[in-house]
């Protein structure tokens, strides 16, 4: 493993069941595989990197996530092609997920930036982009 690569990302979520349903299909579309699972968490792995979702403690649920606050703004994933971005966009819409910046989609990031932006159940912004 190369020095500096991300080992894992761990995110606390408000509703683990809803999060697993949302992220599971997306990460598996991105070739992640289920990795770890326990009562209050689940993870998916791609090669040597993994993403973990953990149920937040009840005492922290009254403070909702917002990408504009201090902390994580969004997660961005590489797509293999524009076709993959289009297919994921279609699947997101089929699942009732709102596409962010729909009026500028798929060029909301600029003329050379082909991407879809959307939010997870806790309103964390996610991006799938063709480099």
């Amino acid at each position: 493993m190369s020095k500096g690569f991300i080992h894992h990302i761990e995110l606390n979520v408000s509703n683990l069941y809803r999060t697993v349903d949302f992220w599971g299909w997306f990460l598996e579309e991105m070739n992640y595989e289920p990795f770890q699972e326990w009562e209050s968490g689940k993870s998916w792995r791609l090669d040597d990197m993994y993403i973990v979702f953990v149920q937040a403690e009840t005492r922290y649920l009254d403070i909702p996530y917002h990408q504009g606050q201090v902390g994580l703004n969004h997660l961005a994933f590489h797509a293999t092609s524009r076709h993959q971005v289009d297919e994921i966009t279609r699947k997101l819409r089929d699942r009732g997920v709102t596409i962010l910046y729909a009026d500028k989609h798929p060029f909301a990031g600029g003329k050379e930036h082909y991407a879809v932006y959307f939010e997870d159940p806790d309103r964390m912004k996610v991006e799938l982009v063709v480099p």
Side-chain angles (χ1 to χ4, degrees):
M1 177 51 53
S2 296
K3 180 179 178 180
F5 276 92
I6 291 176
H7 183 268
H8 71 276
I9 297 168
E10 185 169 323
L11 303 169
N12 292 335
V13 299
S14 67
N15 182 308
L16 184 62
Y17 176 79
R18 199 175 57 186
T19 295
V20 165
D21 180 57
F22 179 86
W23 279 97
W25 77 268
F26 176 73
L27 290 173
E28 290 171 24
E29 288 277 344
M30 299 293 105
N31 292 323
Y32 283 71
E33 296 178 352
F35 180 42
Q36 304 158 316
E37 186 170 5
W38 63 103
E39 185 178 335
S40 61
K42 184 161 182 165
S43 68
W44 282 264
R45 176 174 60 187
L46 179 65
D47 297 326
D48 293 322
M49 199 284 286
Y50 60 101
I51 299 176
V52 184
F53 301 95
V54 178
Q55 176 63 52
E57 294 179 32
T58 303
R59 64 185 168 146
Y60 298 119
L61 292 178
D62 62 335
I63 305 169
Y65 169 83
H66 191 282
Q67 69 187 30
Q69 294 174 323
V70 173
L72 183 69
N73 179 274
H74 72 282
L75 292 174
F77 294 82
H78 286 280
T80 56
S81 64
R82 288 183 174 199
H83 176 74
Q84 186 183 31
V85 170
D86 295 340
E87 277 298 303
I88 293 296
T89 301
R90 182 187 59 76
K91 290 178 180 182
L92 288 164
R93 288 184 172 134
D94 288 349
R95 294 175 68 90
V97 177
T98 301
I99 304 304
L100 301 175
Y101 324 117
D103 59 327
K104 297 178 183 175
H105 173 75
F107 296 105
K111 293 178 184 178
E112 303 297 321
H113 194 83
Y114 198 91
V116 59
Y117 299 86
F118 53 99
E119 290 180 328
D120 84 347
D122 286 314
R123 301 199 60 219
M124 181 181 307
K125 185 166 71 170
V126 184
E127 176 183 358
L128 179 62
V129 59
V130 177

